[in-house]
Amino acid sequence: MEDAQVFAVVMIIITGTVASLCLIGVLTAKAVQRMRRNRGAVAAPPGNDDRLEQLQQSIDAIAVEVERIAEAQRFTAKLLAERAEHTPLVR
């Protein structure tokens, strides 16, 4: 008889746990859906496209300048390496 009572208590605990987890899952799903709906409702402020276009142009200009700097460094490193090859060791 005692085994049956232990089994009943364990089943009640398991059932309660599963029910609680299901409730948490349903509430979480509803909250996520609500957040997605609210996020889609927010409109972009006017003039935002112009600012993004200007930012893109600035980033492109910076990228070109960085590439020019990198090319100058490669050229300088090549000249220094060639000079080191042709310079005799003096003792």
Side-chain angles (χ1 to χ4, degrees):
M1 185 88 156
E2 190 171 309
D3 289 339
Q5 289 175 345
V6 170
F7 180 75
V9 169
V10 169
M11 289 307 295
I12 290 171
I13 292 172
I14 290 173
T15 305
T17 302
V18 169
S20 298
L21 291 175
C22 287
L23 179 64
I24 291 171
V26 168
L27 293 176
T28 303
K30 285 183 179 182
V32 168
Q33 286 176 349
R34 202 173 314 124
M35 284 191 328
R36 285 183 181 166
R37 268 190 252 124
N38 290 342
R39 187 178 357 155
V42 175
N48 208 17
D49 291 337
D50 294 336
R51 292 174 54 195
L52 287 176
E53 183 65 31
Q54 182 182 7
L55 180 62
Q56 181 64 41
Q57 289 174 357
S58 299
I59 290 172
D60 290 341
I62 290 170
V64 169
E65 292 302 318
V66 167
E67 182 60 32
R68 289 178 62 200
I69 292 169
E71 186 62 34
Q73 287 179 337
R74 284 192 290 272
F75 179 73
T76 304
K78 180 181 173 187
L79 287 179
L80 291 174
E82 288 175 359
R83 181 191 294 176
E85 288 176 1
H86 297 307
T87 304
L89 295 176
V90 179
R91 286 191 175 196

